[in-house]
Amino acid sequence: MDIIKIIFFIFNLHYNAAFPEDYIPFPKPEAVPQTARWLGGYDGGNWLNVDSIVQKNNNMYIYAQVYSGYYGEILASGKFKLSSEDCLFDFDEKNVESVLNFYQEGKIFTLAVNQDGRYCAFILEENN
């Protein structure tokens, strides 16, 4: 298991050096708010517009909309709840947006992992 973590770490170093974080493969569609930011990379992604981040009763929630990368249609909108309490990252309102990584099927995945080495995710709990 440790060798896999080392290989993943080296790959991430190489990938991050070769591909800057602020790369956006195509212009932001008009339907997407100016405040939305890109989640994804060279192979595609989505736009995320965060309305608010709330910590309540030891839970963290993101109120947000996710838009498709090219056309800008809404893929998901509502309240996303952090799925795992054992994330190896100290989430708070100030730093959570910095680790949001990609969206897939009702989940906003983070760069942070849990104790099992799986990505932590915010899962859509309520639709708007």
Side-chain angles (χ1 to χ4, degrees):
M1 186 69 165
D2 288 333
I3 191 73
I4 293 173
K5 289 180 182 179
I6 291 169
I7 291 170
F8 184 72
F9 177 76
I10 292 170
F11 173 78
N12 276 339
L13 284 178
H14 173 71
Y15 182 84
N16 289 333
F19 304 110
E21 278 184 29
D22 59 354
Y23 175 77
I24 297 172
F26 31 75
K28 186 182 290 184
E30 288 184 26
V32 177
Q34 288 301 312
T35 53
R37 70 180 191 87
W38 179 251
L39 290 182
Y42 277 89
D43 60 344
N46 298 292
W47 297 96
L48 176 68
N49 188 59
V50 175
D51 294 324
S52 62
I53 300 166
V54 177
Q55 282 187 304
K56 183 177 173 183
N57 300 331
N58 294 326
N59 291 311
M60 177 161 278
Y61 302 93
I62 296 175
Y63 293 84
Q65 304 84 43
V66 180
Y67 299 85
S68 71
Y70 189 74
Y71 294 108
E73 68 267 10
I74 292 182
L75 301 175
S77 178
K79 180 169 81 170
F80 294 81
K81 180 182 177 185
L82 183 61
S83 66
S84 177
E85 294 178 6
D86 63 346
C87 285
L88 302 177
F89 184 80
D90 189 17
F91 289 101
D92 65 34
E93 293 94 339
K94 295 175 187 168
N95 68 12
V96 68
E97 279 195 82
S98 68
V99 297
L100 299 178
N101 193 28
F102 66 96
Y103 171 81
Q104 186 177 13
E105 300 175 4
K107 297 176 184 176
I108 301 170
F109 290 89
T110 74
L111 292 170
V113 297
N114 66 19
Q115 293 173 355
D116 297 331
R118 292 174 289 147
Y119 286 105
C120 297
F122 285 85
I123 298 175
L124 184 60
E125 192 172 72
E126 292 179 15
N127 285 317
N128 282 344

